[in-house]
Amino acid sequence: MKNILISSLILLGTMGLASCDEGFDKMNVNPIALTAVEPSYQLNTTIVNTAPSYGNLSYETTIVKQMITPFSGQGSAANFNQDNRSVASGNWNSLYQNNIKELTDVIVKTKDLPAKSNLYNMARIWKAYSFMILTDTYGDIPYSQAGKNYLEGISTPIYDTQESVYSAILTELESASAALDASKAKVSTDLLYDGDVTKWKRFGFSLLLRASMRLSKVNPAKSAEYVAKAVAGGLMQSNADNAIIRHNSNFANPIGSQLNGGQSAFFYLAEDFVEFLKKANDPRLESIAVRYVGATSGAQQIESRANRTKDVQIGAPLGYDNTTITVAVKEKKLASLWDYSQLDRTRVGGLNAPSFLVTYSQTQLLLAEAVHRKWTTGTASTLFSNGIKAHMQQFASYGTSSSISEATINAYLLANTLTPGKELEEINTQYWVSSFLVGPESWANFRRSGFPVLKPNSFPGSDLKTEPFIRRLTYVDAELNVNKDNVQKAIERQGANTMDTRIWWDKK
Amino acid sequence: MKKKQPINATYGILLFLLLTWQPSHSQILAMVQQTKQSETSKNDSKKALGSILVDLEGIYRANIFFELNTVENIFVNPKIISSGLSLEENLENILKPLGLTYKKNNKTSYTITIDNIYKKTSTINYAPTTSNESEQKLGPQVKGRVLDENGSGLPGLSILIKGTNRGTSTDINGSFQLEVPTSETVLVFKYLGYETKEVIVGNQTNLEISLKPENKSLTEVVVTALGIKKQSKSVGYATATVGTDEMTLNRTANFMNALQGKMAGVNITPLGSGPAGTSKIRIRGQSSFGGNNSPLIVVNGVPIDNTNNGARGDVSEKGSNRTSDGGDGLSSINPDDIEAMTVLKGAAASALYGSRAKDGVIMITTKTRSKGNGISLAYNSNFTSETPLDYTDYQYEYGQGENGIRPTTPFPTSGQWSFGEKFQPGMTQMLFDGVTLPYEPQRNQISQFYRQGYTWTNTLTLTSGGENGGFSLSVANLDNRTILQNSGYDRKTINLGFTQTLSKRLTISGNINYSNEYRKNPPNIAEQDYSPVIIFNMANSMPLSALEKYAEDANGNETVWSRFTNRTNPYFALKRFDNITNDRIFGNLTAKFNFTDWLFIQGRLGQDYYSREQDYNLPTGTQRQVAAPAGFVNGQFVQDSRNVRELNMDFLLGANKTFGSFGVNLNVGGNQMYRRISRHNVFIQDFYTRDLYTIGNGRQRDATYDFSERQVNSIYGSAEVSYKDYLFLSGTVRNDWFSTLSPENRSILYPSVTTSFVFSQAFASALPDWITFGKIRAAYAEVGSDTDVSPYANNLFYGINAQQFPSPAGASQPLGSISGSTVPNSNLRPMRVSEKEVGLELKLFNNSIGLDLTYYDKLSSDQILRAQTSNAGGYLSQLINVGQSRNQGVEMLVSLSPIKSQNFNWNLILNAAYNKTEVLNLGSGVSNNMITVGTADFSGELRQVVGKPMGQLFGFGYMRDAQGRQIFDIGNGRPLRTTDQIAFGSAIPLWVGGITNSFSIKGVEVSFLIDFKLGHKMISGTNHNAWRHGLSKETLVGRDVNYVIGDGVNLNGQVNATKSGVQAYYETVRSQNIAEQFVYDAGLWQLRQIMIGYDLSKFLSKKTPFIKGLRINAVANNVAVIKKWVPNLHPEQFGFPSDNLVGLEATGLPITRNIGFNLNLKF
């Protein structure tokens, strides 16, 4: 009895200790987590992630005077010409932490797999697109060393000049688009074009056209060179080629979900945008806008007050906060600031409203400008009309109440032909309308082309010192801390880390 | 620190003795029996009553006086004594059948008399009171006086003629007179609290005897690592113990919170997250850069889980902004079950626990049997009320509104802004859908919103004890109502402890603790949503009754009241629910076999298992939420279920033998720790049917399952050699193998060596008398730890989105991505801690002064850092293995007994710890030699900077020119911020300590505790918000003229003359993220606790024979702030348990003042 007890005690004590780390290798393998995933799933994630987000309302769409909120708070940004770092960091954080991180991984994993060459090239195109938004927003950015912390251990990537970034983007878009091959395996899990290689090719070259045109001020020769390459590669042929994020209830439109939630009463259509459309008798206004006539509070913005007709629309002016705006409200004889026109949250501002990233309409308008600049051949006025028409046709995808009839479109086109001598202004102003709600693009094109002609935001107490409009967004605070040496070099090269500093292609 | 002179005068408090104790017999004799065992063996089953009374004196440390005649020739069965009973109970049991009774002279002194009923027939002769003469002469007469160490006479002291039952006692002057048989007679002088002295009478007829105070320090026993009991004097490192009264009388739902300020070097912080929240414990500061530097919790020798479910604690949460505090592992323990608690502070003390003990160990021993024989029942009831305290000092001159305008139209959105108009009599405001209300200050919003809370604890304990063992069984219920409406905490515990000796050599013991905890709606804290932030920023003219009345519209949706839609109406927010149920069972089974009297083996199996279920929602209809698709209502619901199991198996082989002057103690053992966590979680977005928060009713469901396991295998040994019981040298060695680390890094060996030298014993004759006890100690130890490495941290993982995305053709396409934002590292090594400590313990002037000093120097290297990286690399952070930091500090414990007598005692205990932690190295991979470890909710960051104290607060400051003048923007007049974030100092206190004064006055115990935490900074989010919302008094500047011209210059060096709008000016701190304005000294001096207790037993013994003891205590906690530096809040009104968010204050629940009553009944 005693011996049994003793031996069982010793056994109990030494159990598992015989070999002191037996089974540990196996134990430290996660039995349920994935150590690999089909790379095209990652590409899908980045595509959905590129849809303009809520922060796009605070800066980009407000800078170009399409949207406005007079309210201050954490979202105080372009409405007061304020450098609000937490909003300014939106594109940076979202694109580096998602798109660049995932796509770098996808590219490394697919590079040497001939069977995945189409996926490899699609990922290259989307990565170039993501970098374009980043550099357009901030200027010099980490490019060559970006996204490589896990793969190469680069935790503090250097900043590349915007010039070199654009060089690389152009090369990447050109070679990746060209390398897409319909004879090779198609990516069946692709959510953008169902793996349609032709459409991806057109998308890639249309993006190349966009990137080429971006250099029109700073390097027209290179601009022209790449426009030609893009055209030769084959551009989008119709709205069927548009790059669209088709939001649904599980992946709601980020703007729509805000405008349908607690923030619904905070955002208004900007006066300049509404006035332009009104003046031109543009049918698109009726697809976009709603005014809750006589509302004196958010609670009164109810359907029974809704008026979607063109003539009643009154956009909210920039330059005021929610109390000082009373002056402007009185001037227009409105009931309150809640009485201004809004982006219709039931249609274009809806939960399931699609996000149009790169469109046939934009491509036609860019091409019109390229023709006008004689960088390619064609008829500018036709391209101009095509661009407007395609955009008007897009509205059908917001539902029948937004769709614009063929007759209405044609009437508008007849009345709004390209005016000789005002080509650049008219084309780029239409590009502004065509890129409505896609802030990064409409803002970039506004800076590049100088159109539309907008009155600067006159809000007293602007953070801008030398420029009437915000020319770039500032680097994120975290970089000033963890990647200080590299970001300081970029700041020295590019100019102060303020919203006044012009980026490389935004030559004065 | 200034030395305080002991007020040593009043040994003459003998006056009290005079009043309360009146010796009434000529020959009062206290029996003294040095050799109790021999006495028992002589009188097989019965024992002389006198001898039994002497035994009782020993057990209860009391003096019992009796006449020799009274007890002569009476023998009783010694088994009648039960150490589970009180002395009174035992006396009652013994004396009653004998026709005797007792009288209580004072707390520790009793006189035995013949019961009045029998008195008449008694033959005993009572003598006059203060006779110096004896009635019978037996031999030589000896007179004398017995003096204490100060030369005062010791009254009531018993003197025995050795080898007989005869003797006498001293009178009030300490004088005595006695006849002795011969001159060879040896007299034994015995007095409670003093060393017993034997004197040969010889030829002396007038003796003067001096007694030395008993030296407790020589006999004290402490429980050390693995539950090994050691003589306190042999221990070469610092420990701290807490009396059980400290946690049972002063109740907090999490018992650790009651121990604030009571142990040197132990910093305990409640988190302002409600009574059932986490108790943050840090011993000797924090050593690693990881967020969790909590000590290991060991119950009866086996570690238990202390996972921190606090807001932003160890466990991540899904869903929108849930920051309630789900408590920690310690809250499952009912303090009534605790028998003893020891804190092992340094690496040397905890070296045998290895990797998990780098931050010290809290060792809890629970009850396993009654103290004596027999069965007893005790009932304890404690009721504590909790009153929220409001420290705000806001402005009440300008009311709700923005830019100087008060709300005058329906649905104003300025509910959180107080930049309105100046209050004038008769003014009105329009709120909600058009309600017109007076525009006037609402001053008591905090006390109006929060209610009185309470905690009621009831414990019933049944204990039994006998020769071969016993058990202790308790059943307890804790019922708490939290200050937030509809919020509370309920805990039921059952604890069983037992010990049984089966044969002469085998002892089986064990304990099981079952707890069922229910946390009902633990309050969200410290961020904007649903939290006290909303109450603390409420517009100062918002009537709360209206806020409650108009909280929702006809559809049940939240009415707009603030344009910060995430500042949910606090009354609407009550629709939020959060239920946490925790079923937990932990315990262990130990078998110990003694081969001989010097060799044993012990095996132990311990398990901690709990099943935690939680569900919480984001209520439908809050303004902050995104809209639901048509046909659904918005809202979120999360259901979470977790199972955690930790198994510990260990064995220990021990030998203990003496060879002449040398003693040897050897232990060899091994441990296997296995831990497994599994977790199911379902997240629901939007619902079909309103107000039905279930998975089945959900539109979008995202289900996940997490799993992890880890194991640590260890073998260890310790050896101690002692010389003549005053010099001790011991060493330990331990090897750990960690499953979470790579094969080449997973094995680590660490040693410790400690020494203790009791010089007061070694040089007893050479040292002056006033040195009662003296010991120096020194220790060195190394410990390794993998605690900052989670299982599977070596690999990159991927995840697939629960939802698919439709392609243009309508196919559902999967979305995948890399999981996590930290770069994994497969090459992590365990971090290493090496710690040196030296200490000095002194007891002076007969224990009137006690001193315990420790100096330590702790180097933590190879730390595993989650270092922030440039997110342009794709990841937010990476795990690196380079951090090095050093803690240095001094701990001191000074105890003084300025007045010590039987009727009045005054004890003063001062403990203080100074700790400084310097960051030494962060490796070459980080830029600027600093890493950011935490970011505040409102403004500021916490960083580790090489060469600076740990936990540096950083944030943007106000830009200043070379002359220190503040610079304002020339265009808009608003303050400009510094280009870089600047350092404001460390958020970790340098000084932590407390001063306890306790008095015992005729049985009434009174004590009060003042505690302090000093030398650290905080960035206050509460003040940040009070400022930008126009509640701070400082924001009144400029209101009258509606502009502010900042005092300073512009960038051109000209005096600033640009007018800024008032609101815009004060809101700059938010848009520019300026922290400087809200940096405060976080220090606190607090009257933490007052306690009054009285033992009512003596009034009860006759009338209610079934009640054997009754004690009542009253306690007040958080009585008053003596000094603080931060305005508008209490420095402890904090929120986050993580060390990486320390000092970044974001509003927590108001601190409460707790007033409680404790009733202890024994049957």
Side-chain angles (χ1 to χ4, degrees), chain B residues 529-835:
Chain B
D529 302 47
Y530 296 88
S531 91
V533 169
I534 296 154
I535 309 300
F536 278 79
N537 291 304
M538 190 59 69
N540 61 5
S541 58
M542 174 70 83
L544 291 192
S545 52
L547 198 64
E548 182 170 19
K549 190 173 173 188
Y550 302 102
E552 58 187 79
D553 63 17
N555 301 319
N557 296 327
E558 185 195 359
T559 310
V560 190
W561 69 287
S562 164
R563 60 185 169 78
F564 280 5
T565 52
N566 55 353
R567 302 274 178 95
T568 303
N569 181 321
Y571 293 98
F572 190 90
L574 296 174
K575 293 188 176 200
R576 171 186 172 273
F577 65 76
D578 185 358
N579 298 295
I580 308 173
T581 325
N582 199 22
D583 262 306
R584 183 180 193 184
I585 188 156
F586 65 81
N588 69 64
L589 200 59
T590 306
K592 185 176 178 183
F593 185 81
N594 294 306
F595 294 100
T596 67
D597 59 351
W598 59 269
L599 183 68
F600 74 90
I601 187 163
Q602 174 182 290
R604 191 158 44 190
L605 183 63
Q607 176 166 264
D608 182 4
Y609 173 80
Y610 63 86
S611 163
R612 187 177 189 275
E613 302 235 333
Q614 177 171 20
D615 61 5
Y616 52 93
N617 72 340
L618 180 63
T620 300
T622 46
Q623 283 290 326
R624 70 177 301 286
Q625 284 185 82
V626 300
F632 296 91
V633 292
N634 64 9
Q636 294 177 350
F637 176 62
V638 173
Q639 202 162 44
D640 184 90
S641 152
R642 234 174 280 171
N643 284 297
V644 178
R645 184 189 302 276
E646 179 173 326
L647 260 172
N648 277 282
M649 286 190 290
D650 69 60
F651 79 95
L652 192 68
L653 186 68
N656 200 340
K657 212 163 164 48
T658 313
F659 305 95
S661 297
F662 292 92
V664 176
N665 186 338
L666 283 172
N667 288 295
V668 177
N671 175 279
Q672 182 181 80
M673 190 283 290
Y674 169 77
R675 192 177 156 86
R676 178 187 191 276
I677 302 171
S678 64
R679 181 184 185 192
H680 287 275
N681 184 294
V682 184
F683 172 83
I684 299 295
Q685 176 75 52
D686 305 333
F687 301 93
Y688 289 90
T689 305
R690 195 177 172 116
D691 295 333
L692 180 62
Y693 299 95
T694 63
I695 291 174
N697 188 35
R699 178 184 66 84
Q700 184 182 314
R701 301 162 197 180
D702 182 0
T704 53
Y705 174 66
D706 299 318
F707 174 85
S708 77
E709 49 180 2
R710 76 193 304 165
Q711 190 169 321
V712 181
N713 292 340
S714 320
I715 52 173
Y716 40 77
S718 73
E720 180 182 287
V721 181
S722 62
Y723 175 70
K724 282 192 169 170
D725 228 24
Y726 59 70
L727 181 64
F728 303 86
L729 182 69
S730 71
T732 67
V733 61
R734 175 168 172 135
N735 200 103
D736 278 350
W737 288 263
F738 303 102
S739 73
T740 53
L741 303 176
S742 66
E744 53 275 17
N745 293 327
R746 70 168 60 125
S747 165
I748 181 164
L749 179 89
Y750 27 80
S752 86
V753 55
T754 69
T755 175
S756 162
F757 177 50
V758 186
F759 60 84
S760 60
Q761 212 168 337
F763 311 122
S765 48
L767 290 171
D769 270 358
W770 53 266
I771 298 180
T772 317
F773 176 78
K775 164 183 148 182
I776 49 173
R777 50 173 202 255
Y780 173 79
E782 288 180 16
V783 179
S785 169
D786 72 334
T787 47
D788 290 332
V789 187
S790 53
Y792 324 128
N794 55 348
N795 224 325
L796 191 68
F797 297 105
Y798 294 82
I800 296 176
N801 197 305
Q803 317 299 331
Q804 288 94 44
F805 197 97
S807 72
S812 293
Q813 303 296 11
L815 306 179
S817 58
I818 295 167
S819 305
S821 54
T822 301
V823 179
N825 183 342
S826 56
N827 239 336
L828 293 172
R829 301 178 304 277
M831 74 168 278
R832 305 279 304 215
V833 171
S834 61
E835 184 168 3

Side-chain angles (χ1 to χ4, degrees), chain B residues 10-124:
Chain B
T10 5
Y11 263 79
I13 291 292
L14 290 171
L15 187 63
F16 278 90
L17 272 174
L18 245 177
L19 294 169
T20 53
W21 178 70
Q22 295 151 336
S24 55
H25 317 298
S26 62
Q27 261 194 309
I28 297 171
L29 175 67
M31 306 286 295
V32 178
Q33 196 66 47
Q34 292 283 66
T35 49
K36 293 171 204 160
Q37 274 115 340
S38 61
E39 178 73 12
T40 0
S41 51
K42 259 187 259 168
N43 284 302
D44 232 7
S45 60
K46 295 235 170 175
K47 201 170 167 182
L49 174 58
S51 163
I52 282 183
L53 293 174
V54 171
D55 285 351
L56 287 174
E57 286 190 306
I59 295 168
Y60 294 98
R61 307 185 63 81
N63 285 315
I64 302 171
F65 304 106
F66 49 87
E67 258 186 306
L68 191 55
N69 299 351
T70 319
V71 301
E72 227 166 21
N73 295 321
I74 300 177
F75 292 89
V76 286
N77 187 338
K79 283 188 178 165
I80 198 164
I81 300 178
S82 163
S83 59
L85 302 178
S86 70
L87 174 57
E88 282 95 341
E89 290 158 356
N90 273 316
L91 287 175
E92 194 86 20
N93 291 345
I94 299 163
L95 300 176
K96 216 164 186 179
L98 303 172
L100 297 173
T101 187
Y102 69 91
K103 184 182 138 210
K104 190 171 180 180
N105 305 321
N106 61 43
K107 204 180 167 190
T108 54
S109 164
Y110 298 83
T111 306
I112 310 295
T113 58
I114 295 170
D115 206 328
N116 288 332
I117 312 161
Y118 301 94
K119 220 170 194 172
K120 286 167 196 160
T121 56
S122 162
T123 54
I124 289 160

Side-chain angles (χ1 to χ4, degrees), chain B residues 944-1136:
Chain B
Q944 310 299 1
V945 186
V946 174
K948 291 219 173 187
M950 204 185 244
Q952 286 291 318
L953 292 167
F954 268 75
F956 288 99
Y958 288 126
M959 186 188 265
R960 292 195 167 80
D961 67 7
Q963 299 166 50
R965 295 176 299 183
Q966 199 182 329
I967 302 175
F968 295 85
D969 188 289
I970 196 163
N972 59 37
R974 296 202 302 265
L976 293 175
R977 73 173 197 187
T978 51
T979 36
D980 290 322
Q981 299 198 41
I982 53 176
F984 299 118
S986 171
I988 302 171
L990 283 176
W991 286 98
V992 176
I995 304 160
T996 306
N997 275 287
S998 51
F999 305 93
S1000 146
I1001 311 151
K1002 293 177 88 173
V1004 180
E1005 310 274 340
V1006 180
S1007 76
F1008 60 92
L1009 163 68
I1010 291 169
D1011 75 339
F1012 56 86
K1013 285 175 192 174
L1014 301 169
H1016 58 313
K1017 292 274 173 40
M1018 72 195 288
I1019 296 176
S1020 168
T1022 302
N1023 282 294
H1024 171 105
N1025 282 318
W1027 181 277
R1028 70 153 158 154
H1029 288 300
L1031 287 161
S1032 294
K1033 283 185 166 162
E1034 290 100 318
T1035 64
L1036 288 173
V1037 176
R1039 302 268 187 126
D1040 47 347
V1041 289
N1042 218 13
Y1043 61 79
V1044 179
I1045 299 176
D1047 180 17
V1049 293
N1050 59 32
L1051 272 175
N1052 303 332
Q1054 300 147 335
V1055 171
N1056 175 44
T1058 312
K1059 290 177 183 174
S1060 165
V1062 173
Q1063 187 172 338
Y1065 182 90
Y1066 294 111
E1067 283 182 342
T1068 311
V1069 295
R1070 182 58 169 163
S1071 59
Q1072 288 294 294
N1073 200 9
I1074 297 171
E1076 183 181 331
Q1077 185 70 46
F1078 313 108
V1079 177
Y1080 299 97
D1081 186 325
L1084 174 70
W1085 281 92
Q1086 167 123 327
L1087 177 53
R1088 180 69 64 186
Q1089 178 189 311
I1090 298 179
M1091 186 149 57
I1092 300 168
Y1094 194 61
D1095 193 332
L1096 294 165
S1097 308
K1098 58 186 165 195
F1099 300 119
L1100 285 167
S1101 54
K1102 294 275 157 51
K1103 289 169 191 164
T1104 48
F1106 55 93
I1107 298 177
K1108 291 167 184 158
L1110 171 64
R1111 193 156 69 134
I1112 289 180
N1113 285 74
V1115 178
N1117 232 333
N1118 292 340
V1119 183
V1121 168
I1122 296 166
K1123 177 73 187 162
K1124 69 178 175 78
W1125 287 264
V1126 58
N1128 298 321
L1129 76 151
H1130 190 283
E1132 283 171 357
Q1133 194 184 325
F1134 224 115
F1136 304 123

Side-chain angles (χ1 to χ4, degrees), chain B residues 508-530:
Chain B
I508 305 280
S509 59
N511 70 290
I512 301 169
N513 190 88
Y514 168 75
S515 66
N516 177 286
E517 292 173 81
Y518 172 48
R519 288 178 167 81
K520 185 185 180 191
N521 305 332
N524 241 24
I525 48 153
E527 53 104 58
Q528 313 214 40
D529 302 47
Y530 296 88

